[in-house]
């Protein structure tokens, strides 16, 4: 190709027999220029070449070196099923890994960062989404943001999160292969459902800066056994929903528990302090191993809808002294040794329906 040429939009799109092209003197490759060229492979994207969105999407690349990631747009190598190795070089100035850069690259196994990695601060949305063979990655320490779905449905088993990381986006690691995770001290913002359905996740350590566990963040992490959360005071809705192997949690510092926060978990004991002021519906729904609940220090006046429904091993429960309402189905199909209902307390429909109460 001639010097400093521009390859127009969709110029070679779907040229399925194209196998080789020299882009060393190309100044600009526009959107989808080589999209769906299934047998085309390039090895190096020159530092002086601007590459627009989806330029090499669904091509036959196998081993690619990007000499300057700041010149690369979104989805450039998305759905390249033959891609196994990617080298990302960082040049001058703040930059990021583009959105959906290698999304759907099912055979990608190796990602390397080279050059001035201190300039790489953001992993954009879905950058490594559905990379089902990518088991490990070493992120530059300068990364401050891991965006929405960045590693969704990847095979990442272990990852050292950079010390400068400030936020993790919604569903960033959902359905990944993570076995454990440590949230750095500077990370204050955790996205909803960030670790949803991480079936192999067994241990989580949250930093002291994390005070709220967001909605659904560990939902369906059924292997999760250990959660270290030193300063958490709020657990949002569905946060640990269906974490069947989670047997223990420190409830003593909690101020707020939202809808179904621990429903269908393996929690055995829940002891609360007088800090608890918000207690929502179905929090311990169908917690089959729950045996001890101590709420005597709480100021809660209402036992909410289906809160302890189907807790059929609940032997010892101490309720708040000032309970004025047992809401619909709050102890439906539960088992209690002893229950005291104070004068003036309102008992709603099915509050104790199909339950077993000794006294």
């Amino acid at each position: 190709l001639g010097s400093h040429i521009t390859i127009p939009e969709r110029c070679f799109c779907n040229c399925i027999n194209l196998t080789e092209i020299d882009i060393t003197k190309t100044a600009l490759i526009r959107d989808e220029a080589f999209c769906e060229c299934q047998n085309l492979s390039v090895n190096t994207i020159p530092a002086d070449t601007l590459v627009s969105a989806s330029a090499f999407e669904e091509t036959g690349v196998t081993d690619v070196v990007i000499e300057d990631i700041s010149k690369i747009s979104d989805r450039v190598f998305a759905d390249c099923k033959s891609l196994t190795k990617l080298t990302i070089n960082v040049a001058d100035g703040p930059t990021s890994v583009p959105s959906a850069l290698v999304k759907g690259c099912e055979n990608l196994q190796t990602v390397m960062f080279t050059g001035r990695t201190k300039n790489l601060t953001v992993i954009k949305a879905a950058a490594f989404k559905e990379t089902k063979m990518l088991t490990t990655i070493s992120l530059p320490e300068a990364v401050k943001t891991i965006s929405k779905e960045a590693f969704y449905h990847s095979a990442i088993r272990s990852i050292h999160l950079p010390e400068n990381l400030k936020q993790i986006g919604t569903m960033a690691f959902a359905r990944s292969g993570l076995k454990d995770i440590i949230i750095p001290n500077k990370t204050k913002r955790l996205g909803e459902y960030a670790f949803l359905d991480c079936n192999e996740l067994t241990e989580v350590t949250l930093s002291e800066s994390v005070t709220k566990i967001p909605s659904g963040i560990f939902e369906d992490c059924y292997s999760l056994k250990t959660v270290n959360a030193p300063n958490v005071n709020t657990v949002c809705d569905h946060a640990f929903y269906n974490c069947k192997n989670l047997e223990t949690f420190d409830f003593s510092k909690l101020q707020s528990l939202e809808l179904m926060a621990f429903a269908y978990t393996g929690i055995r004991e829940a002891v609360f302090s007088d800090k608890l002021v918000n207690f929502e519906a179905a929090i311990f729904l169908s917690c089959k191993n729950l045996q001890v609940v101590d709420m005597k220090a709480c100021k809660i006046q209402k036992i909410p809808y289906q809160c302890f429904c189907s807790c059929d091993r609940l032997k010892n429960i101490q309720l708040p002294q000032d309970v004025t309402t047992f809401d619909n189905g709050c102890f439906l199909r539960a088992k209690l040794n002893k229950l005291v209902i104070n004068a003036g307390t309102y008992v709603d429909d099915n509050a104790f329906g199909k339950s077993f109460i000794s006294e």
Side-chain angles (χ1 to χ4, degrees), residues 287-337:
C287 288
K288 300 296 186 180
N289 294 325
L290 185 62
Q291 298 180 27
V292 177
V293 174
D294 186 348
M295 301 181 70
K296 64 179 181 293
C298 303
K299 307 301 182 186
I300 301 297
Q301 294 186 315
K302 179 180 178 180
I303 306 302
Y305 173 75
Q306 290 196 349
C307 185
F308 299 102
C309 176
S310 295
C311 294
D312 48 22
R313 294 185 182 177
L314 188 57
K315 297 178 180 179
N316 183 1
I317 183 165
Q318 299 183 64
L319 296 173
Q321 295 181 357
D322 299 325
V323 172
T324 59
T325 301
F326 289 100
D327 206 354
N328 190 318
C330 61
F331 285 98
L332 181 67
R333 292 189 296 273
K335 183 177 180 181
L336 300 170
N337 278 354

Side-chain angles (χ1 to χ4, degrees), residues 33-322:
F34 297 99
C35 183
E36 298 181 35
C37 293
Q38 297 170 5
N39 291 295
L40 175 66
S41 184
V42 293
N43 299 116
T44 303
I45 306 297
D48 295 329
T49 303
L50 286 170
V51 184
S52 298
S54 300
F56 292 95
E57 185 170 347
E58 293 187 62
T59 57
V61 295
T62 58
D63 183 348
V64 175
V65 176
I66 300 173
E67 291 189 345
D68 186 352
I69 190 63
S70 68
K71 305 291 181 62
I72 306 299
S73 298
D74 299 342
R75 298 188 63 89
V76 166
F77 294 104
D79 294 311
C80 291
K81 306 301 183 185
S82 299
L83 183 63
T84 58
K85 183 179 180 181
L86 178 68
T87 301
I88 297 173
N89 190 65
V90 185
D92 296 329
T95 189
S96 60
V97 175
S99 296
L101 176 65
V102 288
K103 175 184 175 293
C105 294
E106 296 178 351
N107 290 298
L108 180 64
Q109 299 177 35
T110 305
V111 175
M112 297 177 60
F113 295 92
T114 60
R116 300 181 180 181
T117 56
K118 65 180 181 180
N119 292 328
L120 186 70
T121 58
V122 179
I123 310 296
K124 288 191 174 180
F128 299 97
K129 183 177 181 178
E130 295 172 354
T131 50
K132 298 178 183 179
M133 295 291 286
L134 185 64
T135 58
T136 184
I137 190 169
S138 180
L139 296 178
E141 283 298 317
V143 171
K144 295 180 180 179
T145 301
I146 297 175
S147 303
K148 178 181 179 180
E149 297 184 4
F151 292 93
Y152 178 91
H153 208 184
S154 69
I156 295 292
R157 293 177 182 171
S158 63
I159 189 169
H160 169 69
L161 296 179
E163 293 301 317
N164 291 309
L165 186 67
K166 292 185 177 180
Q167 62 182 34
I168 297 174
T170 301
M171 299 183 79
F173 292 93
R175 300 191 69 190
S176 69
L178 282 174
K179 293 182 179 296
D180 58 76
I181 194 74
I182 299 175
I183 305 299
N185 287 330
K186 293 182 181 179
T187 307
K188 294 184 179 180
R189 294 182 61 185
L190 297 176
E192 295 180 352
Y193 303 96
F195 302 96
L196 167 73
D197 203 16
C198 289
N199 294 333
E200 298 182 46
L201 186 65
T202 60
E203 184 172 0
V204 171
T205 300
L206 302 178
S207 68
E208 294 182 356
S209 61
V210 175
T211 58
K212 181 170 75 171
I213 298 178
S215 299
I217 188 170
F218 300 111
E219 183 173 334
D220 288 331
C221 294
Y222 52 71
S223 297
L224 184 60
K225 293 181 179 179
T226 305
V227 177
N228 302 303
N231 284 330
V232 166
N233 57 48
T234 300
V235 181
C236 295
D237 63 281
H238 292 80
F240 295 99
Y241 183 93
N242 204 32
C243 293
K244 295 184 182 301
N245 282 291
L246 182 62
E247 296 182 351
T248 61
F249 187 87
D250 183 3
F251 293 91
S252 63
K253 296 179 181 179
L254 294 188
Q255 299 173 15
S256 177
L257 266 175
E258 296 183 4
L259 174 70
M260 288 188 163
F262 287 88
Y264 295 93
T265 64
I267 290 293
R268 295 178 177 274
E269 179 178 288
V271 179
F272 297 96
S273 71
D274 59 357
K275 296 178 180 179
L276 188 69
V277 293
N278 182 50
F279 197 63
E280 297 184 8
I283 292 168
F284 295 104
L285 171 66
S286 201
C287 288
K288 300 296 186 180
N289 294 325
L290 185 62
Q291 298 180 27
V292 177
V293 174
D294 186 348
M295 301 181 70
K296 64 179 181 293
C298 303
K299 307 301 182 186
I300 301 297
Q301 294 186 315
K302 179 180 178 180
I303 306 302
Y305 173 75
Q306 290 196 349
C307 185
F308 299 102
C309 176
S310 295
C311 294
D312 48 22
R313 294 185 182 177
L314 188 57
K315 297 178 180 179
N316 183 1
I317 183 165
Q318 299 183 64
L319 296 173
Q321 295 181 357
D322 299 325

